[in-house]
């Protein structure tokens, strides 16, 4: 299940080329995640991705609207490290 978490974080990571993230999203379109929460997060990411960058705030709002207000979106879209 750790692999699933890393996968979802990759989809939210703006440092990963957009084309690569599109490939990953498409290749997992029919995948069933082991962790039910991961499935819900993936479905929200698929909806949000075409509309721009995926932040924890955007993901959290989308999950809440879908009926999952207790999902910690920061776990999937951690804040970017401050640049020095």
């Amino acid at each position: 299940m750790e692999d699933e978490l890393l996968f979802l974080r990759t989809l939210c990571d703006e440092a990963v080329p957009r084309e690569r993230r599109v490939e990953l999203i498409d290749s997992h379109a029919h995948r069933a995640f082991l962790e039910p929460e991961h499935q819900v997060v993936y479905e929200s990411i698929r909806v949000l991705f075409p509309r721009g960058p995926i932040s924890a705030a955007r993901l959290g709002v989308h999950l809440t609207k879908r009926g999952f207000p207790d999902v910690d979106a920061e776990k999937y879209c951690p804040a970017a490290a401050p640049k020095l």
Side-chain angles (χ1 to χ4, degrees):
M1 287 193 282
E2 184 68 24
D3 289 341
E4 291 179 354
L5 177 59
L6 293 173
F7 171 74
L8 295 168
R9 284 182 171 178
T10 298
L11 298 181
C12 292
D13 188 350
E14 290 296 311
V16 176
R18 185 169 182 78
E19 298 79 23
R20 177 64 182 139
R21 292 183 289 146
V22 168
E23 290 171 6
L24 290 170
I25 288 170
D26 290 346
S27 70
H28 287 72
H30 301 290
R31 175 185 179 181
F33 287 79
L34 296 174
E35 175 67 40
E37 179 177 294
H38 293 169
Q39 186 72 44
V40 169
V41 170
Y42 172 74
E43 291 165 0
S44 285
I45 289 172
R46 280 192 64 170
V47 170
L48 293 172
F49 188 80
R51 300 177 186 161
I54 301 170
S55 66
R58 285 185 69 219
L59 182 59
V61 167
H62 193 265
L63 290 165
T64 297
K65 287 181 179 178
R66 291 185 59 209
F68 301 98
D70 297 328
V71 174
D72 178 11
E74 289 287 337
K75 179 168 71 173
Y76 302 100
C77 299
K83 302 206 189 253
L84 300 175

